[in-house]
Amino acid sequence: MEERSDMREKLVFLETFGCQMNDSDSERMLGILKGINFARTDDPGSADLILLNTCTVRDKAEQKVYSTLGRYKELKKARPGLIIGVGGCVAQQQGEKLLKRAPHLDIVFGPHNVHRLRELLLEADSGQRVVATRLTETIDADEYGVTGSSSGEKAFVSIMRGCNNFCSYCIVPYVRGREISRPSSEIIKEIKGLVSRGVKEVTLIGQNVNSYGRGLHEGIGFPTLLREVNGIEGLRRIRFMTSHPKDILDPLISSFGELEKLCEHLHLPVQSGSNSVLKRMNRSYTREAYLSRVQALRDLSPGISLTSDIIVGFPGESDEDFDATMDLIEKVRYDAIFSFKFSPRLETKAADMPDQVDEGLKDKRLLILQERQREISLEKNIEYEGRVVEVLVEGGSEKNHERLSGKTRSFKTVKFDGNEELVGELVQVRIVKGYVNSLIGEMIEKG
Ligand code: 5AD
Ligand code: SF4
């Protein structure tokens, strides 16, 4: 891969692991690459550039990165001009060590260096091996807003980055740095641009969106930002994630009753239903406080769907602690949960806590939790049968182009028959059947 200024279109193979922050960073990478004549390919074998955007939140995610990277060794041998880069949280955490571990790797770049991708490629082209893992405490105006590659009906918009919470199990504050918000004017400008290109739904993302605005001179908070976004003409739906339960205050809760574009879904990770575990996790709320926030939300928005993240097998988690989590899911009746076995992460407090839970017991608890949640999810989805819901059509199925799928405002996946031309449209669908992870419907009309 010699010159980047020539006109020949180059191909990039990009694989994204992990959370929506990485999805959004990958979009930025693609936007930058598009500007220097790269197109995306699904085939690493034909790529001029291979990028992995990585996750280190649990050990399993990290190991997957190493095995994937290993697969590209032969490709590099066959074509020395191929450039291979690793971005994201594993890159940030491992830095130089990654280059040592993988001699066929050219670029290691952390989440704060995504906007420098172009210059990093030039350095790699000139034969250097590059590490870019500096964490910065400010955000430059040109770092975000490069979403040139997204052309769909929905988009992620980063409103802040980093995290100051230091939950005792979590590596994120170490690899994504301190919390910092983007000025609201830039966010609004970015969303208006997306809407002008046909985007109907935005998801405002950050590790902890409820503390948006802290540290900004403009004296703005998250509820005010939501109100401003709600006012953007042409935009139809707003979502946000992730929220920290300690920061779900009344003004935000009232947004659900007041802002017509704000979708009736909240991802509110509880992590555990036991107060003693929550305390050791450094989550700064109790189960009672959490349940009272849920009640306040449901009082205002009775149909709101709720999802959560739950960790089982946190150090010292007793049978009683686990029972408290099971009891909490009965009380909340989440629409869906993401559940994980505790995975000790380097540098975090929980990794060194006493009474680490046996792997077998973690497996057992995870299974019990997931089985019960499947039943609850199914019951909740059956409740949709007969209802008419608004669906934003996302695409046809690979096998059958007349089989469409999309999301309700409450974030349920709906499958139904319809013409592929409806992709990107809002349609009204009557639900005929609820399954654990999706709903089946019949289209009534274009909304
Ligand atoms: N072990 C297991 N799960 C974790 N998560 C974060 N860190 C860990 C860890 N060390 C989970 C939390 C978080 C989600 C993104 O990942 O539930 O909300
Ligand atoms: Fe990790 Fe806690 Fe920050 Fe979420 S709020 S990113 S779980 S430290």
Side-chain angles (χ1 to χ4, degrees), residues 109-385:
F109 63 115
H112 286 198
N113 292 272
V114 169
H115 64 294
R116 295 181 53 213
L117 185 57
R118 186 187 176 150
E119 75 184 76
L120 301 177
L121 277 173
L122 284 174
E123 288 176 35
D125 271 347
S126 71
Q128 298 173 56
R129 301 183 81 203
V130 199
V131 178
T133 50
R134 201 163 63 91
L135 288 178
T136 50
E137 278 170 23
T138 53
I139 302 183
D140 291 339
D142 64 353
E143 288 192 37
Y144 288 86
V146 200
T147 45
S149 71
S150 73
S151 56
E153 63 291 333
K154 53 183 201 172
F156 289 121
V157 175
S158 293
I159 62 167
M160 57 199 302
R161 74 173 177 210
C163 181
N164 292 349
N165 288 321
F166 289 92
C167 300
S168 63
Y169 51 81
C170 187
I171 199 165
V172 167
Y174 302 92
V175 287
R176 287 196 174 256
R178 292 296 65 71
E179 188 176 288
I180 174 163
S181 299
R182 290 175 68 197
S184 64
S185 56
E186 283 173 24
I187 296 168
I188 301 293
K189 194 169 124 201
E190 180 176 343
I191 299 176
K192 283 183 174 164
L194 289 166
V195 170
S196 73
R197 297 210 310 267
V199 167
K200 294 201 168 70
E201 174 183 307
V202 291
T203 304
L204 309 178
I205 58 169
Q207 240 77 41
N208 183 17
V209 291
N210 314 114
S211 53
Y212 173 79
R214 267 181 222 162
L216 282 179
H217 296 304
E218 49 182 307
I220 187 174
F222 188 55
T224 313
L225 178 71
L226 274 179
R227 195 168 297 275
E228 285 189 18
V229 176
N230 192 66
I232 295 177
E233 215 173 304
L235 182 68
R236 302 292 294 272
R237 289 176 162 191
I238 306 168
R239 305 184 185 282
F240 61 84
M241 72 188 307
T242 298
S243 300
H244 196 303
K246 75 178 165 59
D247 295 319
I248 292 276
L249 307 178
D250 288 340
L252 180 63
I253 291 181
S254 2
S255 307
F256 281 97
E258 287 165 15
L259 306 179
E260 76 283 1
K261 294 177 187 170
L262 185 59
C263 291
E264 293 77 18
H265 166 233
L266 185 65
H267 184 63
L268 195 60
V270 70
Q271 312 296 357
S272 168
S274 149
N275 280 337
S276 86
V277 172
L278 286 171
K279 190 146 198 245
R280 279 177 290 123
M281 285 179 162
N282 193 28
R283 289 290 286 177
S284 315
Y285 55 85
T286 59
R287 65 178 270 134
E288 292 76 20
Y290 183 93
L291 288 169
S292 96
R293 297 285 80 190
V294 166
Q295 192 54 51
L297 275 161
R298 289 209 163 124
D299 286 347
L300 248 167
S301 180
I304 194 166
S305 84
L306 292 172
T307 53
S308 194
D309 294 341
I310 293 180
I311 297 176
V312 299
F314 186 81
E317 185 188 67
S318 64
D319 286 344
E320 290 71 37
D321 293 324
F322 177 64
D323 289 346
T325 297
M326 291 302 292
D327 180 70
L328 183 129
I329 72 160
E330 294 301 333
K331 293 214 157 66
V332 177
R333 289 180 62 78
Y334 291 109
D335 291 81
I337 61 167
F338 299 91
S339 47
F340 314 102
K341 290 191 287 173
F342 168 72
S343 167
R345 308 310 289 138
L346 214 65
E347 294 185 85
T348 62
K349 279 213 174 92
D352 297 323
M353 281 181 183
D355 305 320
Q356 297 281 327
V357 175
D358 173 76
E359 250 350 88
L361 187 53
K362 285 185 198 168
D363 285 329
K364 212 170 114 195
R365 286 180 181 164
L366 189 68
L367 204 69
I368 294 171
L369 175 66
Q370 290 179 340
E371 272 183 5
R372 181 60 193 132
Q373 181 56 47
R374 281 174 70 82
E375 293 168 358
I376 297 174
S377 295
L378 178 62
E379 285 161 18
K380 297 216 80 154
N381 286 348
I382 287 173
E383 285 170 21
Y384 273 75
E385 292 175 3

